[in-house]
């Protein structure tokens, strides 16, 4: 349902020793949104994602996924998230069948569901014939496809992407973009972090701009452009960053 908050960042701060990586970040993402999270290198994108996925705790503040706090309900939160990192690590001595079976069990899927889902997803990513090969022989892009499947197999409500298209070929990128649109249309929520503005512009319905740990703009692509009086999103974001410098 549109307008239902699915991801809420509430006054998040994160300090690494003397570095304040996130400074009072407040943000709400609604069900069905493909939400872009943009910032230059070092802006705090990965830190935000690590907090959302439970890898680190905020110094202050809280984040809620589907109404559950990452601080008080971390396991439930993890169960509702699919996380696709820029380049995920796999146990590459295993085959996709072995690796994905273990992932499915971690998410408590039934053996029957695991048995059906693995070949279906491998087929989707055109890897059906590699189901029993050791992944150590796979290219970076092929491994990244398995990372995608591992994140999607448990049918999560929320997908969190950190530069997810890294290493994928043009055809798979087109596939992946379609998949994101399909997921959003089904009412899933996508949080898409990237510094690739052109991709964000194409796939995201709304976006937030992070600069040195602070949110400096939130809105639709059109709103961002209009607010800064520029033609392209890239120009308008450059202007936004320069104004904050
Ligand atoms: P990039 O696009 O380069 O990945 P980012 O937007 O993801 O950047 P973060 O990795 O979240 O940015 O880093 C935000 C700030 O926190 C940076 O100043 C970074 O140097 C600092 N930082 C991140 N992780 C640590 C850490 N483990 N220890 C100390 N400082 C850190």
């Amino acid at each position: 349902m549109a307008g239902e908050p699915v991801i809420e960042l509430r006054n998040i701060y994160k300090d690494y020793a003397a570095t304040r990586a996130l400074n009072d970040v407040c943000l709400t993402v609604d069900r069905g949104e493909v939400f872009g999270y943009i910032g230059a290198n070092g802006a705090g994108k990965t830190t935000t994602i690590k907090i959302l996925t439970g890898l680190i705790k905020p110094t202050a503040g809280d984040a809620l996924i589907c109404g559950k706090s990452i601080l008080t309900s971390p396991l439930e939160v993890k169960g509702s998230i699919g996380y696709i990192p820029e380049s995920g690590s796999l146990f590459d001595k295993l085959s996709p069948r072995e690796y994905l079976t273990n992932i499915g069990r971690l998410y408590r899927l039934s053996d029957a569901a695991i048995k059906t889902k693995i070949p279906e997803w491998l087929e989707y990513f055109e890897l059906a014939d590699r189901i029993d090969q050791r992944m150590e022989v796979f290219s970076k892009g092929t491994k990244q496809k398995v990372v995608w499947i591992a994140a999607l197999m448990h049918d999560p409500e929320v997908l969190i992407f950190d530069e997810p298209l890294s290493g994928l070929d043009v055809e798979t990128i087109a596939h992946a973009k379609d998949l994101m649109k399909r997921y959003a249309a089904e009412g899933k929520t996508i949080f898409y972090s990237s510094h690739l503005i052109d991709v964000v512009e194409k796939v995201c319905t709304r976006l937030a701009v992070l600069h040195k740990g602070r949110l400096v703009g939130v809105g639709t692509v059109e709103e961002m452009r209009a607010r800064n009086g520029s033609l392209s999103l890239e120009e308008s974001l450059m202007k936004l960053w320069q104004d904050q410098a």
Side-chain angles (χ1 to χ4, degrees):
M1 194 208 319
E4 177 193 338
V6 169
I7 302 172
E8 295 168 76
L9 298 175
R10 295 186 175 169
N11 307 96
I12 298 268
Y13 289 80
K14 180 66 189 177
D15 294 337
Y16 296 107
T19 306
R20 175 147 290 176
L22 294 176
N23 195 339
D24 201 17
V25 173
C26 296
L27 188 64
T28 301
V29 180
D30 290 335
R31 183 171 296 283
E33 286 199 275
V34 182
F35 191 90
Y37 198 58
I38 291 192
N41 292 129
K45 303 180 299 296
T46 303
T47 300
T48 310
I49 286 183
K50 282 184 178 165
I51 289 172
L52 283 174
T53 51
L55 294 173
I56 58 172
K57 287 203 162 74
T59 306
D62 196 359
L64 276 70
I65 304 272
C66 301
K68 304 279 178 197
S69 157
I70 50 151
L71 298 177
T72 56
S73 310
L75 282 181
E76 279 169 278
V77 166
K78 281 179 186 153
S80 59
I81 284 178
Y83 169 46
I84 304 189
E86 181 169 5
S87 56
S89 43
L90 300 163
F91 291 99
D92 65 6
K93 297 280 179 216
L94 301 180
S95 67
R97 191 199 301 273
E98 291 164 337
Y99 177 68
L100 294 169
T101 298
N102 284 312
I103 296 289
R105 287 184 182 149
L106 273 179
Y107 283 113
R108 309 222 161 105
L109 298 180
S110 68
D111 285 348
I114 291 172
K115 244 183 163 165
T116 355
K117 279 171 187 270
I118 293 175
E120 271 174 17
W121 276 112
L122 288 169
E123 182 74 43
Y124 183 83
F125 281 104
E126 293 169 0
L127 292 178
D129 56 338
R130 311 198 71 176
I131 187 165
D132 289 318
Q133 271 181 24
R134 277 194 190 202
M135 296 187 289
E136 63 186 354
V137 303
F138 288 4
S139 69
K140 181 171 178 261
T142 305
K143 285 182 184 171
Q144 185 66 357
K145 291 181 186 178
V146 181
V147 169
W148 273 72
I149 299 171
L152 298 172
M153 249 177 74
H154 63 293
D155 199 23
E157 282 300 309
V158 177
L159 295 173
I160 297 185
F161 291 125
D162 192 0
E163 301 288 6
L165 305 179
S166 160
L168 298 178
D169 59 37
V170 177
E171 203 177 324
T172 314
I173 287 176
H175 240 51
K177 285 184 189 162
D178 281 350
L179 195 68
M180 280 189 256
K181 284 186 187 147
R182 200 182 84 196
Y183 265 62
E186 284 173 10
K188 312 268 190 204
T189 307
I190 298 175
F191 190 84
Y192 188 104
S193 170
S194 181
H195 57 259
L196 300 176
I197 294 166
D198 53 334
V199 178
V200 170
E201 187 169 13
K202 282 189 194 115
V203 298
C204 295
T205 43
R206 244 176 7 119
L207 57 110
V209 184
L210 194 64
H211 181 73
K212 295 184 180 167
R214 283 181 186 277
L215 280 188
V216 295
V218 181
T220 63
V221 172
E222 290 70 30
E223 283 166 352
M224 290 285 178
R225 284 197 198 120
R227 196 175 305 162
N228 294 289
S230 307
L231 288 176
S232 78
L233 180 63
E234 190 166 2
E235 281 170 338
S236 101
L237 294 182
M238 291 301 286
K239 189 164 179 295
L240 201 55
W241 280 318
Q242 276 156 12
D243 290 349
Q244 302 289 327

